[in-house]
Amino acid sequence: MNSEITVKSEKIFEGKILNLRVDTVELENQKYAKREIVEHKGASAILAINDKDEIVLVKQYRKAVEEFLYELPAGLINVAEEPVECALRELKEETGYEAKEINKLFEFYSSPGFSNEKIALFKATNLIQGPTKFDEDEFIENVHLSKAEARKLLETGRIADSKTLIGLLYWLNN
């Protein structure tokens, strides 16, 4: 099995959400290559299902892709915070819901070709509605979809976010 041995690592950028480094690696054939790596502290996402068997999504503008996207509620894991705590906090902040029941479904890398971002995906049920608490730079619309409505958004390409695709496909097939 191929592995790459890091011979040099240079930090290029340190930010609030991510860091960027460039690694020089030695390949199996004794040649060298550069790898640009986005370091990410991780995130949690929540597949929240209300008492009407509807999925709770958020719709928000994403500058990186210059589009409004439908997404599962999600957010960055804070320092000393467990992924499940992050999931519950983000669910409350973005949708106003609190979950009486939450279960971990998956952990996955969002784009391992250049980033170490790992997302923990949880399923939340037995929801209790309360007020939202958006961050000051968040402008979010809550959307509730039946399975038929969610399937139509998938089939028409309206769901383009990977964590949401994973969550919806799980929900629609279970």
Side-chain angles (χ1 to χ4, degrees):
M1 179 167 248
N2 292 350
S3 64
E4 299 179 347
I5 300 166
T6 303
V7 295
K8 180 181 174 190
S9 188
E10 181 183 1
K11 190 81 71 171
I12 303 297
F13 173 79
E14 290 189 47
K16 179 181 163 188
I17 296 174
L18 57 85
N19 299 329
L20 175 63
R21 73 175 200 261
V22 176
D23 288 355
T24 303
V25 298
E26 183 178 351
L27 305 173
E28 191 174 280
N29 62 1
Q30 284 76 50
K31 294 192 181 207
Y32 295 88
K34 299 270 189 198
R35 301 289 187 241
E36 297 171 351
I37 309 292
V38 174
E39 299 173 338
H40 191 279
K41 58 185 172 179
S44 290
I46 309 91
L47 173 67
I49 309 301
N50 68 18
D51 60 357
K52 296 177 186 174
D53 198 31
E54 297 170 325
I55 191 167
V56 180
L57 298 179
V58 296
K59 183 180 178 184
Q60 60 185 328
Y61 185 76
R62 293 300 197 175
K63 179 64 181 161
V65 296
E66 301 280 354
E67 290 183 43
F68 284 92
L69 296 180
Y70 292 98
E71 299 180 46
L72 295 177
L76 300 174
I77 299 171
N78 290 331
V79 175
E81 183 177 50
E82 291 297 319
V84 69
E85 295 169 319
C86 173
L88 291 167
R89 175 180 51 77
E90 289 293 338
L91 180 64
K92 177 73 175 151
E93 288 175 7
E94 294 185 357
T95 69
Y97 283 113
E98 291 184 43
K100 288 185 184 177
E101 188 174 332
I102 188 164
N103 299 297
K104 188 174 187 179
L105 297 176
F106 309 109
E107 275 190 346
F108 56 92
Y109 293 106
S110 62
S111 192
F114 68 90
S115 177
N116 67 355
E117 179 187 31
K118 186 181 271 189
I119 299 175
L121 176 60
F122 294 86
K123 181 179 179 185
T125 55
N126 296 319
L127 306 178
I128 301 168
Q129 181 68 62
T132 56
K133 187 181 173 191
F134 302 136
D135 291 339
E136 65 182 33
D137 64 345
E138 287 182 315
F139 302 93
I140 295 174
E141 175 187 341
N142 281 260
V143 179
H144 298 80
L145 300 174
S146 68
K147 284 191 173 184
E149 293 166 327
R151 191 171 280 109
K152 185 167 182 139
L153 284 183
L154 278 173
E155 291 168 354
T156 58
R158 295 291 315 272
I159 303 294
D161 172 67
S162 62
K163 68 184 174 300
T164 306
L165 284 167
I166 292 167
L168 280 179
L169 289 170
Y170 172 84
W171 180 55
L172 292 172
N173 292 297
N174 287 294

